[in-house]
Amino acid sequence: MKYIDLHIHTTASDGTLSPAQCVEHALERGLAAIAICDHDTLLGCRDAERRGAELGLEVVPGVEISTKYGGSVHILGYYINTENPGLLSRLSEIVHDRDLRGEKMCRLMQGDGIDISYEQMKERFGEVVGRPHFAQVLMEQGVVSTVNEAFRNLISRGQKYYMPRYTINIEDSLELIAFAGGVPVLAHPFQYNKSDEELRELIEHCMEHGLRGIECIYSGYTSQMTEYLSALCREYALIPTGGSDFHGTLKPHIRMACAGGEGKGPIVPYTILEGLKAEKGM
Ligand code: AMP
Ligand code: ZN
Ligand code: FE
Ligand code: FE
């Protein structure tokens, strides 16, 4: 049986393995294919695809976009054209706004005597600087002792160093992905604290704007949760997908390939990718 992982973050956003290292790690984990789904950037896709071609691992170009629909909702896009000008320019606007937000967060921290500079963070972490990077720096500075503590006490909404950032609306993100030739998928649906009725409302709304799939297999999701989401896919004729949301050491509890509640071995079968490919006519 061949296994895959369709939700992986690299150093291009807030993962801690480079795109090439993600490919190498996937092969160590015995996977047949992975999808790179960095937040707001496509920069990791090309390196991963190149390394994948060298080593014989299938790499799917992807992206994860944070959007707003009531609260925050994440949309994944698979098989996007990584050269699409519309997608690239919209993503660079989002990244620019991340920079403005990050600079403000740094100033708040500097005001409390924390030795932090946004310029250095950009140099170190690359194009997409996110709150997990702030958590890491706060930990290194001895302000907190874990990444979780930073999120729990300092950088989540309503807290001392939190600054909101611009997020594109859900309709735009779905359409942007579709225009770039991608397959839009609703990421980790249990993250949004929605009732069955609310989740259906979200799915139906997204479908009006081109949603084609739901992430059914995900780290921490039990087989009952996966079955519930898979039943929604069958009902709405959507494609089930699955991935771990691997971030390397920034989310140490998540292992590549181990999407699912059991967390022991690979769990997303290759047939899931065949469903995505069929949607793309591949
Ligand atoms: P940003 O997009 O920069 O606002 O940061 C959001 C990122 O922070 C997402 O990848 C979340 O998964 C991550 N995140 C949110 N809460 C936590 C937490 N408690 N521990 C680690 N990462 C978190
Ligand atoms: Zn992330
Ligand atoms: Fe997400
Ligand atoms: Fe993610």
Side-chain angles (χ1 to χ4, degrees):
M1 182 96 156
K2 292 204 292 182
Y3 293 98
I4 62 176
D5 187 331
L6 298 183
H7 193 153
I8 288 176
H9 294 266
T10 76
T11 46
S13 65
D14 55 359
T16 57
L17 296 189
S18 70
Q21 286 171 326
C22 283
V23 168
E24 290 155 16
H25 190 55
L27 286 167
E28 283 162 19
R29 305 280 292 130
L31 294 178
I34 59 172
I36 303 298
C37 290
D38 278 309
H39 303 281
D40 307 334
T41 182
L42 311 178
L43 285 179
C45 293
R46 200 174 308 158
D47 284 351
E49 285 177 286
R50 195 178 305 128
R51 193 69 180 136
E54 283 167 10
L55 299 180
L57 180 84
E58 190 174 347
V59 175
V60 178
V63 68
E64 180 172 31
I65 304 180
S66 310
T67 72
K68 263 219 180 69
Y69 189 72
S72 168
V73 172
H74 292 182
I75 300 294
L76 298 161
Y78 291 110
Y79 287 112
I80 31 138
N81 170 2
T82 54
E83 313 277 327
N84 181 273
L87 180 59
L88 287 171
S89 84
R90 203 64 201 270
L91 292 178
S92 69
E93 284 169 25
I94 297 174
V95 169
H96 176 67
D97 196 81
R98 274 186 179 277
D99 290 338
L100 300 179
R101 187 260 318 240
E103 281 162 8
K104 288 185 206 154
M105 288 177 70
C106 273
R107 280 199 290 274
L108 289 174
M109 293 176 196
Q110 287 158 358
D112 279 347
I114 297 167
D115 181 15
I116 191 166
S117 122
Y118 194 68
E119 221 168 63
Q120 281 171 14
M121 288 184 76
K122 278 291 270 193
E123 232 163 75
R124 174 171 171 197
F125 298 118
E127 186 187 48
V128 174
V129 174
R131 282 182 291 152
H133 297 130
F134 279 97
Q136 191 177 335
V137 172
L138 288 169
M139 193 171 78
E140 289 165 3
Q141 295 282 329
V143 179
V144 292
S145 43
T146 62
V147 163
N148 244 331
E149 191 188 331
F151 272 98
R152 225 176 29 240
N153 300 331
L154 297 173
I155 59 172
S156 294
R157 190 193 305 245
Q159 294 168 340
K160 208 173 179 186
Y161 301 137
Y162 176 79
M163 275 290 176
R165 67 182 178 84
Y166 160 81
T167 40
I168 82 173
N169 66 43
I170 200 160
E171 300 83 6
D172 286 355
S173 78
L174 292 159
E175 286 163 11
L176 199 57
I177 288 166
F179 276 128
V183 182
V185 171
L186 178 65
H188 43 61
F190 284 110
Q191 248 75 333
Y192 314 130
N193 299 314
K194 292 199 181 297
S195 65
D196 175 71
E197 193 186 336
E198 290 164 341
L199 182 56
R200 284 167 181 278
E201 198 269 325
L202 171 65
I203 291 168
E204 287 165 21
H205 179 76
C206 288
M207 285 180 73
E208 287 169 19
H209 296 274
L211 185 77
R212 291 301 307 130
I214 299 177
E215 190 172 50
C216 295
I217 311 174
Y218 186 76
S219 289
Y221 286 12
T222 61
S223 43
Q224 286 89 336
M225 290 159 93
T226 292
E227 188 35 52
Y228 164 76
L229 295 171
S230 305
L232 286 174
C233 281
R234 290 192 292 274
E235 184 181 330
Y236 287 106
L238 292 169
I239 303 156
T241 72
S244 64
D245 212 353
F246 178 74
H247 280 72
T249 53
L250 264 179
K251 295 191 182 180
H253 54 290
I254 295 176
R255 292 183 69 198
M256 191 187 287
C258 288
E262 295 75 14
K264 293 190 188 76
I267 187 162
V268 186
Y270 191 85
T271 48
I272 291 278
L273 185 55
E274 286 166 349
L276 263 181
K277 285 180 169 177
E279 173 67 21
K280 274 287 292 174
M282 292 168 80

